[in-house]
C-alpha cells in the first residue's frame, strides 16, 4: 500500500488540526503506518497555499486545514478544486454555523485558542506560586515575585495573594513579626515590587479577637492585646521605611478593593 500524505494546513500552530486528523486516521486499521501527516503552520499567504496544493496534486495527498481568515480559506478551496485535490475544512463550517446562531461575525483571528490557553496556564502558574510562597515559607520566592506583600498577621496577605494570582500576578507574602528578622531577600528585591499592608490598631485588635473566638480560644490572649499590636505595627513601620516601599491602608477595605488598588498600582506603573 502506497503511503498517503495528509497536509495539515493552519494559520496558527496547527496542533488542533493535526489531532483531528490523527483521530480520523486511527479509525482505519494499520493506516497510520501508511499515512504521512505533514503539518504546515502559520500559513498566511497564497504562495504557500499554492505550493501545498501543487505537492498534494502530484502525490495524491489530502489537504486538511484550519484557516479562519475567510479570504485565505476561500482561496485554498478554489485552488484545490481547480487542481482536483481532495480537501477538508475542519473549522470553517462550524464557524459559519456559529455566526448564523450567534448573529454576528467571528473575529477571524488566527491562534486565539493558544492565546486563551496561555492565559489560563499563566493564571494556574500564578496561583501555584502564591501557594508555594505564602506566609514567607520560602524566601527565595521574594526575588521571583511580581509583587511582594508584607504585613503583620491578619492583614489579608494570603487572600490578597490568591486574588491577585487570578489576575496572573505572581505574589509572595511575608509576615512581619518583631521577634523574627525579615528575610534578607526582602531588602534585596526592587522596592517597587513591595507593598506594605497597613492597618489601624483598633481594627486589627477587633479582627484578632474575632479570630480567637472563632477558634474557641480566649480573646484576652497576647495575640489580641492592643499594646502588643501597637508594638507589631511600629516594627512594621520600621521595616517598610527601610525597604522604601509603598503602603496601602487595609483597615476599612474589602480584599477585592485592596487587590484592585494594588493591581492598578502595578499596571499603571504607580509604584515608582
Amino acid at each position: 500500500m502506497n503511503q498517503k500524505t495528509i497536509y495539515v494546513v493552519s494559520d496558527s500552530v496547527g496542533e488542533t488540526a493535526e489531532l483531528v486528523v490523527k483521530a480520523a486516521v486511527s479509525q482505519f486499521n494499520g493506516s497510520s503506518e501508511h499515512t504521512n501527516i505533514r503539518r504546515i503552520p502559520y500559513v498566511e499567504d497564497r504562495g504557500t497555499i499554492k505550493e501545498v496544493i501543487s505537492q498534494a496534486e502530484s502525490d495524491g495527498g489530502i489537504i486538511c486545514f484550519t484557516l479562519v481568515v475567510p479570504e485565505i480559506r476561500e482561496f485554498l478551496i478554489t485552488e484545490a478544486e481547480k487542481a482536483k485535490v481532495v480537501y477538508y475544512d475542519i473549522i470553517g463550517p462550524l464557524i459559519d454555523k456559529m455566526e448564523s446562531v450567534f448573529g454576528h461575525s467571528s473575529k477571524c483571528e488566527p491562534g486565539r485558542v493558544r492565546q486563551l490557553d496561555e492565559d489560563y496556564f499563566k493564571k494556574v502558574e500564578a496561583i501555584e506560586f502564591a501557594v508555594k510562597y505564602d506566609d514567607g515559607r520560602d524566601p527565595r520566592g521574594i526575588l521571583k515575585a511580581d509583587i511582594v506583600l508584607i504585613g503583620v498577621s491578619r492583614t489579608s496577605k494570603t487572600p490578597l495573594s490568591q486574588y491577585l494570582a487570578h489576575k496572573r500576578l505572581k505574589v509572595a507574602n511575608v509576615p512581619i513579626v518583631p521577634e523574627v528578622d525579615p528575610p534578607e531577600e526582602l531588602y534585596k528585591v526592587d522596592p517597587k515590587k513591595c507593598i506594605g499592608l497597613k492597618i489601624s490598631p483598633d481594627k486589627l485588635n477587633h479582627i484578632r479577637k474575632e479570630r480567637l473566638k472563632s477558634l474557641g480560644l480566649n480573646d484576652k490572649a497576647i495575640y489580641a492585646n492592643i499594646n502588643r499590636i501597637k508594638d507589631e505595627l511600629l516594627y512594621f513601620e520600621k521595616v517598610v521605611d527601610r525597604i522604601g516601599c509603598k503602603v496601602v491602608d487595609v483597615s476599612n477595605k474589602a480584599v477585592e478593593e485592596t487587590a484592585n488598588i494594588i493591581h492598578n498600582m502595578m499596571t499603571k506603573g504607580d509604584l515608582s
Side-chain angles (χ1 to χ4, degrees), residues 157-173:
K157 295 185 298 298
T158 296
L160 278 170
S161 296
Q162 286 296 325
Y163 193 97
L164 290 165
H166 279 81
K167 294 181 179 291
R168 293 162 296 284
L169 290 167
K170 294 180 180 178
V171 185
N173 71 75

Side-chain angles (χ1 to χ4, degrees), residues 8-263:
V8 178
V9 178
S10 175
D11 45 23
S12 184
V13 179
E15 289 179 345
T16 302
E18 186 174 2
L19 285 172
V20 171
V21 169
K22 285 182 176 179
V25 168
S26 70
Q27 297 301 312
F28 299 87
N29 291 337
S31 291
S32 59
E33 300 173 8
H34 305 287
T35 304
N36 176 32
I37 298 175
R38 287 190 56 191
R39 194 199 311 177
I40 298 95
Y42 303 113
V43 176
E44 299 176 347
D45 62 285
R46 288 171 167 79
T48 302
I49 290 174
K50 282 187 175 182
E51 290 178 13
V52 174
I53 291 174
S54 177
Q55 290 177 24
E57 183 182 14
S58 65
D59 61 22
I62 302 172
I63 298 176
C64 297
F65 60 95
T66 51
L67 299 171
V68 298
V69 178
E71 295 79 11
I72 299 298
R73 182 175 17 139
E74 290 166 9
F75 180 78
L76 188 151
I77 292 171
T78 300
E79 293 298 309
E81 289 179 346
K82 285 181 183 178
K84 294 183 172 51
V85 170
V86 177
Y87 66 87
Y88 184 75
D89 186 350
I90 295 173
I91 198 172
L94 180 57
I95 291 177
D96 292 342
K97 291 288 185 183
M98 287 182 173
E99 286 182 340
S100 66
V101 173
F102 297 158
H104 59 84
S105 299
S106 65
K107 292 181 178 294
C108 300
E109 295 177 7
R112 285 190 62 82
V113 169
R114 179 160 288 274
Q115 291 172 20
L116 292 172
D117 286 346
E118 288 177 356
D119 183 69
Y120 169 77
F121 286 117
K122 282 181 181 178
K123 183 187 293 186
V124 171
E125 185 180 5
I127 292 171
E128 291 176 344
F129 186 95
V131 172
K132 183 175 182 179
Y133 298 111
D134 181 46
D135 207 32
R137 64 181 62 171
D138 187 346
R140 292 174 296 181
I142 294 172
L143 299 177
K144 301 175 184 177
D146 297 318
I147 302 175
V148 180
L149 302 177
I150 59 175
V152 300
S153 175
R154 310 311 297 175
T155 49
S156 300
K157 295 185 298 298
T158 296
L160 278 170
S161 296
Q162 286 296 325
Y163 193 97
L164 290 165
H166 279 81
K167 294 181 179 291
R168 293 162 296 284
L169 290 167
K170 294 180 180 178
V171 185
N173 71 75
V174 181
I176 300 300
V177 184
E179 292 79 14
V180 180
D181 291 332
E184 294 181 6
E185 289 84 353
L186 197 57
Y187 300 114
K188 295 178 181 177
V189 72
D190 186 345
K192 294 178 182 178
K193 291 185 177 183
C194 291
I195 299 288
L197 303 176
K198 179 181 178 181
I199 191 169
S200 69
D202 290 340
K203 181 68 175 180
L204 185 57
N205 179 244
H206 173 73
I207 291 173
R208 288 189 176 181
K209 281 186 176 181
E210 291 302 313
R211 175 59 175 167
L212 289 171
K213 288 179 183 177
S214 70
L215 295 173
L217 302 174
N218 189 335
D219 65 359
K220 303 297 182 183
I222 188 68
Y223 178 69
N225 180 278
I226 189 66
N227 291 322
R228 164 67 186 186
I229 286 172
K230 288 179 179 179
D231 288 342
E232 286 186 39
L233 294 176
L234 182 62
Y235 182 66
F236 163 79
E237 293 289 350
K238 291 179 180 178
V239 173
V240 166
D241 288 344
R242 180 177 170 185
I243 296 171
C245 65
K246 292 265 187 174
V247 174
V248 175
D249 192 333
V250 302
S251 300
N252 298 300
K253 293 184 178 68
V255 170
E256 295 85 350
E257 184 182 0
T258 304
N260 285 329
I261 290 172
I262 294 172
H263 184 257

